[in-house]
Amino acid sequence: MRISAKQWQYILMNMVGLRSGATADDINSAASYAMDAGKTAGIPFPPIPENWDDLLDGTITHMKEFEGADSRYLLIITKSSGDSFEYQDCFPKCSVKPTNVLASTRLNADVGELTEWVVANIPE
């Protein structure tokens, strides 16, 4: 697993997700991908899904396939939760408007660099 148990708990407790934005602080639309992978916080916390790394790779790959993606930003946001696995190999889609941007970077890097950036920027 790329993420630690503490990062996983942070994701669940704070409803952390990913989205592509036109700017580095773009929370104006309600589309995001929930990094909770359809799980909810509880005592005890559910284990990190075995396919979490694959879902992260797939989500970023999917975002990069959209026209104009290289001019957009990858945002780690809060208020993203869901179990709607609408796109194969991606985190579930969330249609609730995000409330906060935790971190952002340009989406014009390769998938490996972006996945490393995501993991490095999820608080513990």
Side-chain angles (χ1 to χ4, degrees):
M1 286 296 145
R2 291 184 186 142
I3 59 171
S4 70
K6 286 185 177 185
Q7 286 175 306
W8 175 240
Q9 290 175 4
Y10 187 90
I11 288 168
L12 293 175
M13 296 298 295
N14 294 282
M15 299 168 63
V16 179
L18 297 173
R19 67 171 269 103
S20 167
T23 64
D25 60 354
D26 183 3
I27 56 171
N28 292 321
S29 111
S32 66
Y33 299 90
M35 289 197 288
D36 63 13
K39 306 295 181 190
T40 55
I43 304 295
F45 282 95
I48 302 168
E50 291 199 19
N51 66 338
W52 194 92
D53 293 345
D54 295 333
L55 294 173
L56 176 60
D57 291 341
T59 300
I60 293 173
T61 298
H62 181 67
M63 286 181 183
K64 289 184 65 61
E65 290 172 347
F66 285 96
E67 186 176 333
D70 282 349
S71 66
R72 296 179 64 83
Y73 290 83
L74 174 61
L75 289 74
I76 300 174
I77 53 94
T78 57
K79 191 77 173 194
S80 182
S81 180
D83 59 6
S84 173
F85 287 89
E86 192 169 314
Y87 303 105
Q88 186 175 3
D89 301 324
C90 292
F91 288 126
K93 183 180 170 191
C94 176
S95 295
V96 175
K97 188 174 178 183
T99 57
N100 190 32
V101 175
L102 300 176
S104 63
T105 190
R106 295 299 301 251
L107 198 51
N108 62 352
D110 71 40
V111 173
E113 289 176 276
L114 292 169
T115 57
E116 288 178 22
W117 177 86
V118 168
V119 171
N121 283 278
I122 299 170
E124 291 197 356

